């Protein structure tokens, strides 16, 4: 295991963060600075960051069904209820993967595995996130297609990968991007508001029957399947055509460009 992966696996930082620590000369191995990104620490090597000995910890992965009204933060003097209030104290150091805003609900993964966090959040892996959304009023006939074409948010084209209307006010939306409050902001651009927003799936992880406000450990099978579904972009492309529900598809690039020019 290379040095950056070793550091990420301890949970102190992501792999990219580990690269920055190594490049800055803040990492030592057996008392000597190590800036070799290819170095692989052995079981008898002493690895330190800023003089502090780093130990590999046993990975912990838990799934929380976040209720509405709880904030994804550890400490804030102005906030009463945080997600860590729902967890045992020994989980207070776990990092959440893909935050949910205070008014959103559903699947939230917490872990001390920096490498796993990187795989689930880095844009190049295109991890799907599936949500069920209840609107404040009945949707327009073209809302699904408009969600697929997208809008400009923070200088980027924000769009849904899949969008399915389940009822006049209810949608199932799948994202690959990680733009802040993406679904709520996209809907607001089209004159709608999300009255309820629940994340049902992250990659291959699902809530199933986990009660609201409760947590559980990930199974070995769930942890093992995460890397196998994030390494290859071609697998992601093939999986686009699989699924248990019919969805609206993104329009052709020519149609999308025409829409861009009309805005």
């Amino acid at each position: 295991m290379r040095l950056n992966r070793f550091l990420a696996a301890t949970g102190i930082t992501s792999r990219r963060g580990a690269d920055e620590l190594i490049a800055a000369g803040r990492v030592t191995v057996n008392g000597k600075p190590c800036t070799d990104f290819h170095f692989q620490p052995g079981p008898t090597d002493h690895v330190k960051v800023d003089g502090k000995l780093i130990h590999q910890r046993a990975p912990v992965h838990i799934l929380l069904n976040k209720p509405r009204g709880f904030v994804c933060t550890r400490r804030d003097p102005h906030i009463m209820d945080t997600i860590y209030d729902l967890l045992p104290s020994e989980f207070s150091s776990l990092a959440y993967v893909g935050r949910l805003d205070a008014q959103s609900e559903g699947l939230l993964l917490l872990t001390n595995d920096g490498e796993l966090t990187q795989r689930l959040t880095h844009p190049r892996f295109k991890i799907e996130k599936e949500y069920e959304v209840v609107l404040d009023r009945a949707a327009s006939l073209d809302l699904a297609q408009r969600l697929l074409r997208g809008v400009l948010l923070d200088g980027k084209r924000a769009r849904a990968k899949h969008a399915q209307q389940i009822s006049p006010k209810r949608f199932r939306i799948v994202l690959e991007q990680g733009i802040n409050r993406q679904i709520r902001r996209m809907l607001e651009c089209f004159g709608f508001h999300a009255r309820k927003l629940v994340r049902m799936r992250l990659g291959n992880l699902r809530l199933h029957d986990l009660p609201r406000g409760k947590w559980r450990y990930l199974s070995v099978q769930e942890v093992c399947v995460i890397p196998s579904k994030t390494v290859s972009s071609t697998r992601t492309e093939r999986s686009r055509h699989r699924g248990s529900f019919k969805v609206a598809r993104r329009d052709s690039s020519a149609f999308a460009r025409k829409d861009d020019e009309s805005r």
Side-chain angles (χ1 to χ4, degrees):
M1 181 186 296
R2 290 184 179 181
L3 186 56
N4 60 351
R5 289 187 61 189
F6 175 90
L7 294 173
T10 67
I12 65 169
T13 185
S14 66
R15 194 186 297 186
R16 180 180 295 180
D19 288 340
E20 294 173 355
L21 291 173
I22 295 168
R26 296 168 60 185
V27 180
T28 63
V29 178
N30 301 326
K32 298 180 179 180
C34 181
T35 55
D36 181 2
F37 291 90
H38 299 283
F39 178 77
Q40 299 186 27
T44 61
D45 288 323
H46 288 192
V47 179
K48 295 183 179 181
V49 174
D50 295 334
K52 183 178 180 180
L53 186 63
I54 303 300
H55 300 279
Q56 275 199 300
R57 297 177 294 176
V60 177
H61 317 289
I62 66 170
L63 204 63
L64 171 69
N65 188 348
K66 176 191 171 301
R68 184 173 181 172
F70 286 79
V71 180
C72 291
T73 187
R74 282 194 174 86
R75 295 181 182 86
D76 190 319
H78 304 292
I79 294 174
M80 295 295 294
D81 298 318
T82 78
I83 57 172
Y84 294 95
D85 295 325
L86 302 168
L87 304 172
S89 58
E90 59 262 33
F91 293 153
S92 61
S93 63
L94 297 183
Y96 50 84
V97 180
R99 68 175 296 142
L100 290 169
D101 65 51
Q103 300 309 309
S104 298
E105 311 170 38
L107 187 154
L108 188 65
L109 175 67
L110 294 98
T111 182
N112 61 357
D113 188 335
E115 184 176 355
L116 180 65
T117 299
Q118 174 82 349
R119 287 190 173 276
L120 288 172
T121 57
H122 197 285
R124 73 172 177 269
F125 293 119
K126 298 183 178 180
I127 299 300
E128 290 186 355
K129 299 164 284 277
E130 182 178 329
Y131 301 82
E132 288 194 4
V133 184
V134 178
L135 305 179
D136 59 331
R137 58 188 177 88
S140 57
L141 295 177
D142 64 345
L143 181 57
Q145 288 296 335
R146 295 174 77 183
L147 288 167
L148 296 179
R149 291 197 297 268
V151 295
L152 286 178
L153 295 178
D154 302 332
K156 301 177 182 178
R157 172 62 63 175
R159 49 164 61 98
K161 180 180 180 181
H162 302 318
Q164 177 198 20
Q165 186 168 0
I166 302 171
S167 70
K169 294 184 179 181
R170 189 182 297 271
F171 272 76
R172 186 173 300 159
I173 299 173
V174 176
L175 301 180
E176 281 184 339
Q177 299 167 296
I179 299 173
N180 183 40
R181 300 180 72 251
Q182 181 172 344
I183 291 178
R184 293 186 185 277
R185 294 169 66 192
M186 289 174 65
L187 289 171
E188 289 168 4
C189 288
F190 301 136
F192 297 91
H193 293 277
R195 194 177 71 189
K196 184 176 182 179
L197 194 154
V198 183
R199 182 156 62 200
M200 306 301 296
R201 177 172 64 87
L202 174 64
N204 292 283
L205 303 177
R206 294 183 179 274
L207 276 178
H208 295 302
D209 57 354
L210 183 64
R212 187 179 293 112
K214 300 298 182 181
W215 64 273
R216 66 172 176 83
Y217 288 105
L218 291 192
S219 68
V220 174
Q221 291 79 8
E222 286 175 316
V223 175
C224 288
V225 80
I226 293 172
S228 68
K229 294 298 184 182
T230 58
V231 172
S232 172
S233 60
T234 57
R235 291 184 187 179
T236 302
E237 287 299 315
R238 289 201 300 267
S239 67
R240 178 178 297 178
H241 303 289
R242 302 172 186 168
S244 57
F245 54 87
K246 295 181 179 179
V247 297
R249 302 292 180 184
R250 197 176 299 164
D251 288 354
S252 68
S253 58
F255 188 91
R257 286 196 298 270
K258 181 178 179 182
D259 180 69
D260 288 344
E261 294 169 357
S262 67
R263 293 183 184 277

